[in-house]
Amino acid sequence: MHHSTLSTGRRALLAAAVVAAATAVPLPSDPAAAAPTADRQQQYAAAATEYGVPTVVLLGVSYLESRWDSNAGTPSTSGGYGPMHLTDARHVAALPGGHHDAGTEDPRGDDSRPARVQAPRPAEDPAPPAAALQTVDAAAALTGAAPEALRTDAGVNIRGGAALLGAYQRELGAPVGADTDPAAWYGAVARYAGADSADAAAAFADEVFTTIGAGESRVTDDGQRITLPARAVQPERSWLGRLGLRRLARPDGLECPRTISCEWIPAPYEAFGDGDYGNHDLSDRPARQKIEYIVIHDTEASWATTLQLVQDPTYVSWHYSLRSVDGHIAQHVKTKDVGWHAGNWFVNAKSIGLEHEGFAAQGTWYTEAMYRTSAKLVRHLALRLGIPLDRQHIIGHDNVPDTVASTVRGMHWDPGPYWDWTHYFDLLHAPRLDTGTPATGLDRIGPDYATNQPAFTGCVTAGVPCVPRGSSSVVLRSAPSADAPLVNDVALRPDGTPNTMAVSDHGARASAGQTYALAGRQGDWTAIWYLGQRAWFHNPASAPTASWTVGVVATPKPGQATIPVYGRAYPEQAAYPAGVPYQAISPLQYTLAAGQRYAVGAVLAGEYYRATTFDGSSPGDWTVIRGENRYAQIQFGHRIRYVDLADGAAAAVPDGRAPLRTATAPGR
């Protein structure tokens, strides 16, 4: 997102919990984790019997909270622990603050206007947490277990969740018992969501019963095989009314699918005088300009603070916010208009921004409920707007290109290495093309999330190891050896020293779904072209961290030694009408050298959306300036960047045949 400090209260929601968890819970790499005291499937069955809950209901609720994972005893981004996501916001608020995404970028990222100075963030609400954020207390009262055990022991946590479900069912006056009809548990399941509206509670419950109907089976992050057999259930939704929750207004024009809980909380568009205004720009997309990207952020703040910020006209804006505890969504800016969220005006003008309640560094985890509603929203928007469901167009804030050389070091890096891109794209039902071979010359990064646990540092304290956690990122080295230094990002470390394992240092890592051109193979190691060099990652055949794919690459034309790399695909000077200042095409510190190849995600026309005044009164305002030049969007490092075909770039299949000369992006 775009915050400079973390406030107290629920700050980082969750920082040193990851350190405490390292000693409180056996990790997957810990031998103790391989010999649990009881089979996890049996623990669910025993807890269901003890508290009179149908086992399928208990499993379905737990799956939608955590996918049955323990997450190494760390809290979620809404302060929930364990497979049942028992929340303890009071405990989390008392923990020391941690490292966070503190980039210095101007969220608007438009050189034609002064840098957007962000208002100070309001303090978090010091009031006691809502009941939905403090369910561990009720679970402790019902089970007699200590809060610490409920947070850190998976079996105790499951008992606590079962006890809560049973208590909710009794309070509704509904039938209780492990052998009762699951259909009668709709109200208790809806209450478990912790939602403050009937819409959000129902969306959560509907997803639980959809999961029960489809069935699930997977191995958890601590090595436990859990199976939920498919069972057709027609839930009795009439129980929802007994919860007494408010009904959300759903105004015309709300841009969310009907199957998710969504409300309109507008970001203000206001003038302040002296030509200043906020907190977004008006447009008419896609009629005026095609939307190319959907950008995934995390909020670096609690839900309450996030809503405060987006409703401040002096702050910045994004299109949607998503709540962790239940996946509820608030829309703030119409998709036709331009939010100030990505730190790059070219991307802002061509993107939609989604902020997910969470924190990039702490190693905390995102609930399945939020992953699922986010995926439903993104799929809905992508299909409506013609945005390809791939990692060239569905990108993280950490993949947004830097604007010019001076801004590279300040760009944000959320949602960070703990966002599960592979699972997210599975939920998107995104098409995959894995028919390639080494001869096709392209690698799609795809480590196994649970077992891929890079040794990042600084989640809580600089230099201190993070709790080992599953990650979407693979680490890139300068030679095919685990002892080799990491590669260097010359813009982040101009002295040529290697990048580091700091969680905030993405200069030597690639992320799941990103595609790179093959640069070499040696034993269990694969090299890709990355930031002008060969970057090696461990990719054994027995446990691959990438798959072969096909596509188009960019490389200098014959006779070109190097070509510039850009952070924006702006038009040439001749395209600007009289009275509209030229936006310089300024290269970054990198170059693309002869013999190197980079995967192409699209070929785009040079464009600049002119929007500098509140009422569109400045010359050229609210128009898109288009040039004759064409850019290839490439996966150049962890971020996407652009090369101008007029500079001598040729986009071709990897063996050099069939160079592209059109503005048609591959796959469209």
Side-chain angles (χ1 to χ4, degrees):
M1 195 178 173
H2 12 250
H3 308 321
S4 58
T5 60
L6 279 178
S7 52
T8 56
R10 287 177 68 212
R11 174 168 53 178
L13 239 180
L14 311 167
V18 292
V19 169
T23 56
V25 175
L27 300 172
S29 57
D30 187 334
T37 57
D39 176 78
R40 190 69 49 75
Q41 185 94 32
Q42 293 176 354
Q43 290 176 327
Y44 279 105
T49 299
E50 182 180 3
Y51 292 102
V53 182
T55 303
V56 295
V57 170
L58 184 61
L59 286 167
V61 169
S62 182
Y63 188 89
L64 199 61
E65 293 286 13
S66 68
R67 299 179 76 212
W68 306 321
D69 285 338
S70 297
N71 290 289
T74 60
S76 77
T77 59
S78 47
Y81 287 85
M84 296 303 301
H85 195 248
L86 299 180
T87 53
D88 196 350
R90 188 183 301 113
H91 172 76
V92 167
L95 298 170
H99 192 66
H100 62 287
D101 187 351
T104 57
E105 70 178 29
D106 167 17
R108 193 162 54 191
D110 183 4
D111 294 348
S112 70
R113 294 177 272 189
R116 187 69 180 172
V117 178
Q118 299 180 36
R121 286 182 50 193
E124 298 277 5
D125 186 354
L133 299 177
Q134 201 59 46
T135 60
V136 75
D137 293 346
L142 290 166
T143 63
E148 180 181 1
L150 287 162
R151 290 192 299 266
T152 60
D153 186 300
V156 177
N157 182 274
I158 291 167
R159 288 184 62 239
L164 286 177
L165 279 167
Y168 297 159
Q169 185 79 343
R170 285 189 293 273
E171 290 173 17
L172 287 170
V176 177
D179 58 352
T180 54
D181 185 353
W185 285 77
Y186 187 86
V189 170
R191 181 174 173 184
Y192 199 97
D196 62 354
S197 70
D199 306 63
F204 179 91
D206 287 343
E207 201 66 33
V208 168
F209 281 95
T210 297
T211 301
I212 292 171
E216 288 288 351
S217 183
R218 67 183 296 265
V219 176
T220 66
D221 59 356
D222 55 358
Q224 297 278 330
R225 166 65 66 180
I226 309 292
T227 298
L228 169 60
R231 178 170 175 176
V233 178
Q234 293 296 324
E236 297 174 13
R237 291 181 171 83
S238 59
W239 289 106
L240 179 67
R242 299 198 184 189
L243 297 179
L245 298 173
R246 66 188 177 102
R247 294 278 180 178
L248 297 178
R250 198 172 180 106
D252 292 341
L254 189 66
E255 297 170 291
C256 292
R258 300 293 303 183
T259 55
I260 59 178
S261 173
C262 191
E263 65 180 315
W264 174 244
I265 301 178
Y269 186 69
E270 295 181 12
F272 312 137
D274 296 327
D276 198 9
Y277 66 97
N279 59 11
H280 56 280
D281 278 297
L282 303 184
S283 189
D284 185 22
R285 308 181 306 176
R288 181 173 292 162
Q289 188 174 25
K290 187 181 187 314
I291 299 174
E292 296 280 351
Y293 308 107
I294 296 176
V295 182
I296 304 299
H297 305 256
D298 70 48
T299 60
E300 301 292 324
S302 69
W303 177 255
T305 296
T306 298
L307 295 188
Q308 283 181 274
L309 293 170
V310 79
Q311 294 178 86
D312 180 353
T314 67
Y315 202 64
V316 294
S317 62
W318 49 96
H319 295 83
Y320 298 89
S321 296
L322 291 93
R323 187 165 62 199
S324 170
V325 71
D326 56 2
H328 175 66
I329 295 175
Q331 183 177 1
H332 311 297
V333 177
K334 295 291 187 182
T335 58
K336 73 178 185 64
D337 296 326
V338 180
W340 300 345
H341 60 96
N344 183 317
W345 181 246
F346 177 79
V347 174
N348 277 338
K350 297 173 74 63
S351 71
I352 295 169
L354 276 64
E355 291 278 3
H356 299 75
E357 185 181 11
F359 304 87
Q362 274 72 21
T364 55
W365 48 281
Y366 301 90
T367 64
E368 179 68 2
M370 185 163 66
Y371 272 126
R372 289 197 175 197
T373 55
S374 178
K376 287 184 178 182
L377 174 62
V378 167
R379 183 172 176 83
H380 169 80
L381 295 172
L383 293 178
R384 195 187 90 190
L385 297 167
I387 301 172
L389 290 172
D390 58 38
R391 286 285 273 122
Q392 290 81 25
H393 298 85
I394 312 299
I395 60 176
H397 195 170
D398 53 350
N399 309 134
V400 172
D402 359 66
T403 55
V404 293
S406 62
T407 66
V408 175
R409 296 172 65 90
M411 296 295 290
H412 282 254
W413 48 273
D414 61 294
Y418 298 115
W419 179 267
D420 191 343
W421 283 107
T422 299
H423 178 53
Y424 191 59
F425 269 76
D426 287 343
L427 292 173
L428 284 170
H429 305 296
R432 287 179 55 131
L433 187 60
D434 288 332
T435 57
T437 70
T440 64
L442 290 178
D443 281 298
R444 179 188 288 113
I445 305 299
D448 177 75
Y449 183 88
T451 59
N452 178 56
Q453 300 184 358
F456 295 128
T457 66
C459 289
V460 177
T461 304
V464 175
C466 303
V467 170
R469 285 286 317 283
S471 173
S472 287
S473 295
V474 299
V475 177
L476 303 174
R477 299 190 178 275
S478 55
S481 168
D483 298 326
L486 302 184
V487 296
N488 165 259
D489 183 331
V490 67
L492 296 178
R493 304 177 75 85
D495 61 358
T497 57
N499 281 78
T500 70
M501 291 299 292
V503 69
S504 59
D505 186 349
H506 56 72
R509 68 179 68 145
S511 186
Q514 292 179 325
T515 299
Y516 296 88
L518 179 68
R521 300 171 70 195
Q522 184 172 320
D524 287 342
W525 291 79
T526 298
I528 54 176
W529 289 112
Y530 186 93
L531 298 176
Q533 64 204 293
R534 284 183 172 88
W536 294 86
F537 64 96
H538 194 228
N539 186 29
S542 60
T545 51
S547 58
W548 302 116
T549 187
V550 296
V552 175
V553 296
T555 188
K557 294 176 182 177
Q560 293 286 126
T562 63
I563 56 175
V565 176
Y566 302 98
R568 303 174 293 194
Y570 276 173
E572 66 277 9
Q573 186 168 4
Y576 288 76
V580 177
Y582 166 57
Q583 302 303 303
I585 302 174
S586 177
L588 301 173
Q589 292 94 325
Y590 315 105
T591 58
L592 197 168
Q596 299 179 10
R597 304 178 301 175
Y598 294 88
V600 172
V603 176
L604 305 171
E607 290 184 349
Y608 172 66
Y609 178 52
R610 173 74 175 175
T612 61
T613 56
F614 178 75
D615 57 3
S617 58
S618 180
D621 260 14
W622 295 355
T623 62
V624 179
I625 298 166
R626 294 184 172 87
E628 296 296 324
N629 52 358
R630 295 290 184 269
Y631 291 86
Q633 174 190 312
I634 59 173
Q635 190 65 61
F636 190 71
H638 188 69
R639 300 183 186 274
I640 60 173
R641 272 102 178 185
Y642 307 96
V643 289
D644 190 343
L645 298 183
D647 285 336
V653 295
D655 65 2
R657 294 174 298 175
L660 293 181
R661 293 290 183 267
T662 71
T664 302
R668 293 200 184 171

